[in-house]
Amino acid sequence: MDRRNVRKIFVQRDYSRGTGVRFSTDFPRELTGKVDETTYRTTIENVNQCFDEAEALGCCNVLEGCLACMTGFALHYCFKTHYERCVQDAAKYIQQQNREVYEQRGIILGDPMDRGLRCVSTLYSH
Amino acid sequence: MVKARYQLIMPLRKYQKFPGNNRFWCCGALMSSRQVSILIFCAIIIVVVSALFFAFDARFLVVNVEPLGVGVIFPVLGVLGLYFSMSFLFKTGCIDSGILPRALPDEIAYMQSQGDEEPAGSGRTLGAPARYKTVQHMGQKVKLKWCVTCNLWRPPRASHCGLCNNCYENFDHHCPWVGNCVARRNYRYFYLFLTTIAVTGVYMMACNITVIVLASKKMGFGDALKTYPGSVIEFCVSGLAVISVSGLSCMHTWLIARMETTNEDIKGTFNPRKQGRTVHNPYRRRNCCLNFLFVICGPFPPSLIDRRGDMTEEYQAALEGDNSSYGATSSVPKLPPESPSPVPPNPTPPPLAPDPTSEVISMTPTASMEVRTEGEEGVVQVTVERSDSSHGVGEDETQQLILDRAGHGQQ
Ligand SMILES: [Zn+2]
Ligand SMILES: [Zn+2]
């Protein structure tokens, strides 16, 4: 990618469904003509699903929480939390999508963890 | 010279230049606020009382409780109480309690170019006008406030702690007793700490009474008190702890059942009397058991500040407030004309009166005022603290007045 023509946009958080991590699926107009709108939406929606899974009050989280609580939270020193595994899944998914879809179109999506889960930094050349 | 060479071998970590008022321990593995003396005091009290318990009461009970062997349960319970209270105390006080990391320069430039905020005018605070953005949040319209210090739109439920100078996710309150803010990542530890202390305190008092009663049967009440002074001291200290903590523990039990934070309770976010209309709390689950499950055993998010990460140029630039090299990369149109002059990431002078010292700070008569001068940034922070709220200072009690270097000269 030519360094001079690289610009950044930041996909913001979407709080409409709660305080959990979700990113806005609105298609940024800067990417018009570079990538298909549905492809982009699917990617962001899948990233959101990783975080939904992380924040869900499911068996994984509750069991882990109970065990951690009973051991005085010593468990956290031994194992990665469910949340951390989900965050890693999201990062892996984004990398894979970059390789398969976005890089050839001059777009790179960043790991949301790099921005403290505030936004997804998106580089694009124009 | 030595430092420069050291940095060649060991690159700077982010925690070494962290912009908030925090203290880091063990190479950034642990962190707390600046004031940790009360935390250490609490820990010492717990250890001393437990030591007295093991030295006098536990030994006495093991020997004197019939049938022989049953008494072993007493020291075992004591060890559990000590382990849980200490681990919850340090987990509350020494972890990142949910800091929202400050935005980097390129991000700030992008967000200022968006212009999706409301025109200012409403809710003018000290210095710069407050900036708001309304978003849809769980079926309600919620105003997000722009944090001038952290350069981000504060998420719902987040608030800025004036003492730690960070924004916190699900901010509850700043607790000087544990030397940390209580927020999303350590609220469960905090609640469990209060509960454990209350339960352990009651348990120790019960043991003390048992010891004195059993000893009184043998030697009379007066002599029992003289022979076991440790039990008397323990009884008094545990009593004080139980009195001070049980009320707080009950209050937080009530708050969790209603799924509110202390901050929301003080502000009356969901209080119909303070709001003038019925406000539905969207965070509440189907029943209060689920609320407890969510708070105590729910998802535990990782720390977002990457404090052990290596220093990057971008992060360095964000600290220095150097925005020039990044502003150019933003391609989107500039701010619409009706927006007020945006608050730049660098604390350049907000639209102040020509003489900064002529600023009038209005405050309640009961307020105590603390002025602290930050050496590096030339930032004068005026903290107005209500003296009646001994337990923490949220954004609303704290007002920040940021003056630029020119007004005060280089320090
Ligand atoms: Zn802030
Ligand atoms: Zn604080």
Side-chain angles (χ1 to χ4, degrees):
Chain A
M1 232 189 251
D2 189 355
R3 207 67 207 125
R4 274 172 313 167
N5 293 325
V6 171
R7 284 175 181 179
K8 273 184 197 174
I9 50 167
F10 296 89
V11 180
Q12 298 293 311
R13 282 275 290 273
D14 169 17
Y15 294 111
S16 61
R17 293 196 204 166
T19 46
V21 181
R22 277 190 70 79
F23 296 100
S24 167
T25 48
D26 295 342
F27 187 68
R29 58 196 149 88
E30 291 88 349
L31 301 185
T32 340
K34 295 187 199 325
V35 68
D36 183 25
E37 193 171 329
T38 38
T39 316
Y40 173 83
R41 273 184 208 275
T42 322
T43 307
I44 298 289
E45 199 49 62
N46 285 337
V47 172
N48 285 345
Q49 251 165 34
C50 287
F51 285 103
D52 282 347
E53 167 69 24
E55 309 237 4
L57 195 59
C59 286
C60 234
N61 263 327
V62 170
L63 201 68
E64 188 186 271
C66 284
L67 278 176
C69 190
M70 277 188 271
T71 54
F73 296 94
L75 198 76
H76 284 334
Y77 295 113
C78 312
F79 300 104
K80 274 210 166 90
T81 58
H82 175 64
Y83 205 117
E84 280 170 321
R85 285 195 301 271
C86 290
V87 168
Q88 280 180 347
D89 286 349
K92 264 185 217 153
Y93 174 73
I94 288 176
Q95 272 179 10
Q96 179 230 331
Q97 287 287 299
N98 274 338
R99 267 198 315 274
E100 288 173 7
V101 184
Y102 292 101
E103 260 167 31
Q104 63 227 30
R105 296 165 205 218
I107 300 171
I108 298 175
L109 301 183
D111 180 358
M113 208 52 190
D114 292 345
R115 301 275 169 176
L117 303 181
R118 281 185 310 270
C119 52
V120 181
S121 69
T122 307
L123 283 169
Y124 68 98
S125 62
H126 75 123
Chain B
M1 184 61 203
V2 177
K3 201 175 176 187
R5 193 174 291 166
Y6 174 74
Q7 279 171 15
L8 275 181
I9 312 162
M10 294 274 290
L12 265 184
R13 301 283 184 91
K14 280 181 187 163
Y15 77 88
Q16 285 164 306
K17 293 263 181 180
F18 190 71
N21 281 334
N22 294 88
R23 219 182 253 196
F24 293 87
W25 313 86
C26 307
C27 301
L30 304 175
M31 66 182 292
S32 62
S33 73
R34 288 264 171 215
Q35 295 81 29
V36 286
S37 41
I38 312 182
L39 168 71
I40 294 165
F41 173 75
C42 285
I44 289 173
I45 291 277
I46 294 172
V47 169
V48 166
V49 171
S50 303
L52 284 174
F53 174 79
F54 292 123
F56 298 104
D57 305 67
R59 225 173 52 186
F60 180 91
L61 290 170
V62 167
V63 177
N64 287 290
V65 168
E66 299 285 332
L68 213 65
V70 172
V72 181
I73 196 80
F74 291 102
V76 169
L77 286 177
V79 167
L80 283 180
L82 177 64
Y83 169 70
F84 279 111
S85 47
M86 287 302 265
S87 80
F88 292 149
L89 174 62
F90 280 102
K91 275 288 206 176
T92 315
C94 299
I95 64 165
D96 163 20
S97 49
I99 295 176
L100 289 161
R102 298 183 184 194
L104 298 179
D106 48 357
E107 205 179 315
I108 302 164
Y110 173 79
M111 283 196 290
Q112 282 180 348
S113 68
Q114 289 294 294
D116 50 357
E117 67 191 87
E118 284 168 21
S122 59
R124 197 182 155 79
T125 54
L126 212 62
R131 300 162 72 203
Y132 293 99
K133 173 166 107 169
T134 307
V135 295
Q136 199 68 29
H137 179 54
M138 303 176 96
Q140 294 176 337
K141 280 209 156 47
V142 165
K143 263 189 180 178
L144 304 187
K145 194 177 178 190
W146 175 264
C147 182
V148 187
T149 315
C150 310
N151 291 304
L152 46 86
W153 291 110
R154 260 177 229 149
R157 306 197 98 181
S159 188
H160 190 92
C161 172
L163 292 172
C164 306
N165 211 15
N166 292 309
C167 272
Y168 287 89
E169 221 177 327
N170 281 25
F171 180 76
D172 196 85
H173 65 287
H174 181 95
C175 180
W177 293 96
V178 298
N180 205 347
C181 267
V182 178
R184 184 171 185 196
R185 290 190 80 238
N186 66 350
Y187 185 70
R188 60 184 76 185
Y189 302 127
F190 177 72
Y191 176 69
L192 289 168
F193 170 68
L194 293 181
T195 318
T196 315
I197 285 294
V199 170
T200 314
V202 169
Y203 167 70
M204 288 202 172
M205 285 165 81
C207 285
N208 297 332
I209 292 172
T210 318
V211 167
I212 297 296
V213 167
L214 286 180
S216 303
K217 277 182 189 162
K218 285 183 193 164
M219 56 184 83
F221 186 65
D223 279 341
L225 290 186
K226 269 182 215 155
T227 324
Y228 299 100
S231 301
V232 180
I233 299 170
E234 256 178 80
F235 187 81
C236 297
V237 178
S238 307
L240 280 177
V242 169
I243 289 167
S244 54
V245 153
S246 55
L248 206 58
S249 177
C250 289
M251 190 191 96
H252 280 282
T253 309
W254 184 76
L255 284 175
I256 294 175
R258 294 169 54 82
M259 212 63 172
E260 276 181 38
T261 65
T262 311
N263 192 36
E264 285 161 351
D265 187 48
I266 292 170
K267 282 201 281 185
T269 314
F270 305 117
N271 187 341
R273 257 180 303 159
K274 282 195 187 172
Q275 294 291 322
R277 64 198 166 93
T278 46
V279 195
H280 160 71
N281 181 347
Y283 311 112
R284 214 171 279 175
R285 309 231 150 207
R286 274 199 309 282
N287 56 52
C288 61
C289 294
L290 279 177
N291 290 348
F292 269 96
L293 198 67
F294 187 77
V295 170
I296 309 293
C297 302
F300 183 70
S303 173
L304 299 178
I305 53 174
D306 186 28
R307 53 187 188 265
R308 306 253 285 156
D310 289 340
M311 199 71 179
T312 58
E313 273 176 40
E314 234 179 359
Y315 191 78
Q316 184 76 47
L319 292 178
E320 287 157 9
D322 172 25
N323 203 8
S324 52
S325 57
Y326 294 91
T329 54
S330 126
S331 62
V332 257
K334 287 289 152 204
L335 275 172
E338 73 270 14
S339 285
S341 60
V343 183
N346 186 11
T348 45
L352 276 178
D355 180 11
T357 49
S358 70
E359 273 291 326
V360 180
I361 304 148
S362 65
M363 54 180 150
T364 50
T366 55
S368 64
M369 198 169 140
E370 177 201 334
V371 179
R372 198 170 61 246
T373 312
E374 300 272 335
E376 277 183 23
E377 316 236 331
V379 171
V380 178
Q381 190 179 26
V382 182
T383 313
V384 183
E385 185 178 337
R386 260 195 289 137
S387 51
D388 57 337
S389 70
S390 61
H391 214 78
V393 183
E395 163 74 1
D396 300 273
E397 284 86 39
T398 310
Q399 298 185 320
Q400 268 185 25
L401 170 63
I402 295 170
L403 306 172
D404 76 320
R405 238 177 228 163
H408 276 252
Q410 297 282 350
Q411 277 137 6

